[in-house]
Amino acid sequence: MNISHENRFLLHCLQTSISGNTGDKIKDVINLSLNWEEVLASAFWHGIAPLLYHNLKNISKGHCISQEVTAQLRTAYHGNLARNMYLYAELKRILETFCDKGVKVIVLKGAALAKTVYGDVGLRQMSDVDLLVKKEDLPCAEKIMSGLDYRFQGEMQPDWYRENHQHISYVNSEKNIPVEIHWHIARKAHPLRIRIINDIIERWWEEARTIEISGSKAFILSPEDLITHLCFHFLKHRFINHNGGFSSKGALIQLYDIFQTLKYYRDEIDWVRFKSEAEKYGIDSLMYTTLSIVREIMGEHDDVFHNALSSFRSEDLDKELVRLINKRILIREDTLPAVPGSFIKSQIADTFQTKIKILFKEIFPHPKVLSNRYSVPLYSKRLCLYYLIRPFRLILKSGKIILMLPRVKEEAILNTWINSQVGPIVDD
């Protein structure tokens, strides 16, 4: 993979502990006069600044790393450590209350990973606390959260989320702690456009393991189910943009979550069960693709990936797709010009007529859209003028759009692939 020195440096630092060989590689890249502004921007973009500091603090002496860079990373690590300790203290209070009420809880994502596979609560950033409860326990869970001074947070009414979503969000305004109460991992109209049938969640409960977090009893997913969840979480955030664009934000920490989980549980994972269930639920292609993306980013690591990938058939993997996704992961969207979502959608439309319809709506949008865009009263005659000049404005911009055609083509390839992974829609 042909990548910049800055990205190569970040990938070398994507470890909880640096071996002698990797340490030498890091020192070699540092000596290449890195653009540290770019390194910092990417580290914060991908959520790996605390991990970067953890690995640099012991090798920064004698190398060209400015005190300003070190100070920013140090602040990120210690700020994250303090924040996570605060979150775990609150998580203890929440788990104790759920336990007292007899409601079982599975701790998801960051709060589970930092305590287990990372082994250092300062290394893994957590923006919120994610908990999974059984659907029948949801009313009781909502009462518990209300009793703990958490308030519902959302644009729609709670009933809408119960019917159409996979979680309800709460926030304790005094403590500034967001908590998401999940009963599923995918809603009926998921941004990822992948539907997960309900009995996979039932299987997760059957295989869940007990754990003690901050002195309180809870559950975590089995290694196999944790890998499945992390793969879906990674994919969801790549295709979450409303305009259909691919997003790289937070990608490296999410990929490292998967890698570190594979490494931590490598002697326990039942790959026969993992592959069998992936086939049963029609998600084996997604799992294979995501695990291959992780291997490409992290390097070979045969001790970690051999069993994981050997259970899949190599001919089933679209290697060009993996290459494209990894290329896009290492490009921050804030460095790219915006591509109109309509151009992406027109590229992946099934028929020529649909393509034309989408582009026509972009050129001549609904009057309300044009009124809001140009701050013109809806029934003003000036709106007609904007309809006349809008095609010419788009023509003037077409030069930039032509330059972006390779990227639009990439977006179309990625969206066509993810659209092909749609599974059955099953009501709750």
Side-chain angles (χ1 to χ4, degrees), residues 13 17 63-64 80 86-87 89 93 135 150 160 162 167 171 225 246 291 297 310 314 354 363 373 377 387 410 417:
C13 290
S17 61
H63 293 86
C64 301
N80 187 59
Y86 186 58
L87 284 172
R93 185 173 80 104
K135 185 73 180 285
Y150 278 82
W160 183 90
R162 296 185 194 103
H167 67 75
V171 65
D225 298 331
F246 181 90
L291 292 174
I297 284 289
S310 62
S314 58
T354 304
I363 299 171
R373 184 171 297 173
Y387 270 112
E410 290 179 353
W417 172 71

Side-chain angles (χ1 to χ4, degrees), residues 26 43 94 124 155 316 352 357 377 382:
I26 291 173
I94 294 171
R124 176 57 162 80
E155 296 179 357
D316 292 339
F352 178 76
K357 185 177 180 180
R382 288 171 54 204

Side-chain angles (χ1 to χ4, degrees), residues 189-211:
H190 203 277
L192 182 55
R193 300 177 292 282
I194 297 169
R195 275 64 171 190
I196 311 299
I197 58 179
N198 289 332
D199 63 345
I200 195 173
I201 304 299
E202 294 173 5
R203 288 282 296 141
W204 286 9
W205 279 105
E206 292 172 4
E207 300 293 334
R209 299 181 171 190
T210 57
I211 189 175

